[in-house]
Amino acid sequence: MPLYDFRKIIRESIPILGFCVLLELVGGNFLDSTKSTLLEMPIILVLIPVVNGLGGNLGTIFGSRLSSGMHLGLTELSWKDKKLWEDIRLSFLVGLLIFLIMTLAIWFLAPLMGVGVGDLRFGEFFAIAILAGIFATVIAIGVSVFTAFLSFKQGIDPDNVVTPLVTTLGDISGIFLIIIFFTIIV
Amino acid sequence: MSKESSTYRYLKESVPVLLLCGFGLMVAGMLFGLMVETLEDHPGILVLIPAIIGMRGNISTALGARLGSASHLGLISTENIMNRDSMVNIKASLALSVLMGLLAGVVAHISLVALGRDSSGLLVLVSISVLAGFLSGLALAAITLGIMVLAFRKGYDPDNITGPLLSTVGDIITLLLIFGTATLIFAIDNAIVR
C-alpha cells in the first residue's frame, strides 16, 4: 500500500482538525466578547496574527524537525535526548529575539499604516507583546514535544497531528494571553 | 549530519525565515487592524476569523509537513513534484478545507445564538467560511508546491522553510479572502433581501 492514502489522511485528520476548529471558535468568541474595547485600540489586533503566527512557527519548525528526526531515527523518544534539549533552548532564544524586534516594528510601523493606537502607551504595548510572545513560545514548544512523542508512540504520522495541535493551541493561547495581559496592564 | 551543523543550519535557515514571517504576519495584523469597521458592522466575522485562519494554517502546514516528509523519504523531488503522492495530499487538503469550513460556520452561528450575541445568520457565516476556506486552500496548495521546488533547488531542508512561510503567506491570503468573500456574500445577501 502506498504511504499516502486519501481516505487515511481524511480519517486521521478530521478528528484533530475538527477539534482544532472548535478550539479556535472558543478563541473567536473570547475575542468577540472584548470586541468593544479591542476596536478602540486596533493595534492590539495587529499583535494577534503576529504572536499566534510566530508562536505557531516556532512550534511547527520544532515539531517538523522532531518528526523528521524521528522518521530518520536521529531523535530518540526520550526526555534525556541531548538534541531535543538543545533544540528547545535554541527555539526559546530565537523566539525572544524575534519578538523583541517585532514589538518595536509594530509599534512604530502600524500607526504609519493608519492602524489606531487609542490611549495605549508604549510601555503597556511592549509589556503585553513581550509577555504574550514569551508565554506563547514556551507553550508552543511544550505542546510540540508532547504531541510528537504521543503521536509517534500511537503510530500516527506526527505530521498530521503535531502541527495542527501546536498551531491551534498557539492561536488560542496567543489570543488568551494577549487579552489577559491587555486586561491586566491597561 | 553532526549536531553543530544542524544547529547552525537551524539558525541560518530559520532566523531569516522567522523574521520575514514576522513582518508578513505584521502585514496580516495591519489588515486585521484596518478592518475594524467591517468587524463592527457584520457580527460573527470576528468569531470566524481565528477558526478560518487556524484551519487554513493547520490544513496547509500539515500538507507542507507531509510533502516535506515525503521528500525526505525520497517519494517526491523536483522532477516528479506533481506525482500521485503529492496529488493525493492536495486533494485531501481541499476536501478537508470544505468540511472544516462547514463546521466552523455552523458552530460559530450556534455559539453566537447560544451566547445571546448578534450573528449575521447561519447561511451567511457558512458561505463565507466554506468559500474563503476552499479558495485559500487552493492558493496555498499551489504555493506549497512552489516553495518545495524552491527549497529543493536551493538545497534547503523543506522542514525549516515550508511550515513558517506557508502559515504566514496563508494568514495574509486568508484574511484578504475572508474580507473579499464577506464583502461578496453581504452584497448578495443585501441584493436578495431587497
Side-chain angles (χ1 to χ4, degrees):
Chain A
M1 202 178 91
L3 181 62
Y4 292 111
D5 176 68
F6 183 84
R7 281 165 179 276
K8 182 172 184 277
I9 296 171
I10 301 280
R11 204 173 47 233
E12 280 189 0
S13 306
I14 281 183
I16 188 74
L17 287 177
F19 179 65
C20 289
V21 164
L22 297 181
L23 278 180
E24 296 274 4
L25 287 170
V26 174
N29 274 300
F30 192 60
L31 265 183
D32 203 58
S33 67
T34 47
K35 191 168 152 180
S36 52
T37 331
L38 273 183
L39 297 188
E40 280 169 26
M41 301 174 181
I43 196 166
I44 296 293
L45 289 178
V46 181
L47 271 183
I48 292 174
V50 176
V51 170
N52 291 358
L54 287 177
N57 282 344
L58 288 158
T60 42
I61 293 181
F62 189 82
S64 280
R65 284 165 63 82
L66 201 59
S67 66
S68 287
M70 291 199 285
H71 274 305
L72 296 171
L74 289 175
T75 305
E76 267 184 61
L77 272 171
S78 160
W79 297 104
K80 289 174 190 161
D81 192 273
K82 262 190 188 169
K83 187 170 179 307
L84 177 70
W85 283 105
E86 201 186 83
D87 273 8
I88 290 177
R89 210 173 52 230
L90 207 61
S91 301
F92 182 76
L93 288 175
V94 168
L96 191 62
L97 173 77
I98 306 268
F99 277 115
L100 274 173
I101 298 172
M102 290 319 303
T103 304
L104 294 174
I106 293 170
W107 180 258
F108 291 107
L109 293 178
L112 290 181
M113 299 301 293
V115 177
V117 177
D119 297 332
L120 205 62
R121 285 194 299 266
F122 173 73
E124 295 170 332
F125 179 76
F126 187 82
I128 295 168
I130 294 294
L131 285 171
I134 289 173
F135 277 92
T137 306
V138 171
I139 291 172
I141 292 172
V143 175
S144 190
V145 175
F146 184 73
T147 50
F149 279 5
L150 209 68
S151 63
F152 217 73
K153 275 193 171 161
Q154 303 286 323
I156 300 167
D157 185 343
D159 286 344
N160 289 344
V161 180
V162 182
T163 12
L165 259 187
V166 173
T167 48
T168 302
L169 288 168
D171 284 358
I172 297 302
S173 57
I175 292 174
F176 276 82
L177 288 166
I178 290 168
I179 301 294
I180 286 166
F181 287 122
F182 175 72
T183 314
I184 294 172
I185 292 169
V186 179
Chain B
M1 193 164 49
S2 79
K3 208 187 290 168
E4 281 75 21
S5 81
S6 167
T7 303
Y8 177 69
R9 263 189 97 170
Y10 176 85
L11 290 173
K12 191 185 109 191
E13 295 180 3
S14 295
V15 171
V17 173
L18 282 168
L19 266 182
L20 193 69
C21 288
F23 281 92
L25 288 163
M26 187 175 68
V27 172
M30 286 175 182
L31 287 173
F32 200 3
L34 290 172
M35 283 158 177
V36 171
E37 275 176 35
T38 317
L39 296 175
E40 224 154 359
D41 294 346
H42 303 300
I45 302 289
L46 188 59
V47 178
L48 268 184
I49 287 177
I52 301 176
I53 292 183
M55 74 155 195
R56 167 76 292 112
N58 286 341
I59 294 172
S60 300
T61 47
L63 175 67
R66 285 199 304 269
L67 293 179
S69 292
S71 79
H72 279 297
L73 296 170
L75 291 173
I76 56 170
S77 62
T78 325
E79 295 77 36
N80 59 355
I81 193 85
M82 303 284 270
N83 71 3
R84 192 202 150 275
D85 282 302
S86 56
M87 283 307 123
V88 163
N89 278 302
I90 288 169
K91 278 180 201 156
S93 82
L94 288 177
L96 287 168
S97 300
V98 172
L99 288 172
M100 291 304 135
L102 203 63
L103 179 70
V106 171
V107 178
H109 178 74
I110 292 174
S111 65
L112 279 167
V113 171
L115 293 169
R117 286 207 300 271
D118 283 345
S119 166
S120 298
L122 177 66
L123 201 60
V124 168
L125 292 188
V126 167
S127 323
I128 292 171
S129 68
V130 170
L131 202 58
F134 180 78
L135 291 177
S136 56
L138 210 58
L140 285 207
I143 295 169
T144 309
L145 289 182
I147 294 175
M148 298 281 304
V149 172
L150 221 67
F152 288 150
R153 289 203 183 138
K154 298 261 179 195
Y156 288 155
D157 180 347
D159 283 345
N160 293 346
I161 309 277
T162 49
L165 267 185
L166 278 179
S167 53
T168 305
V169 175
D171 280 7
I172 298 175
I173 292 178
T174 310
L175 261 171
L176 283 172
L177 281 169
I178 290 171
F179 284 91
T181 50
T183 311
L184 179 76
I185 299 290
F186 283 120
I188 294 173
D189 193 41
N190 283 338
I192 292 171
V193 170
R194 275 171 202 164

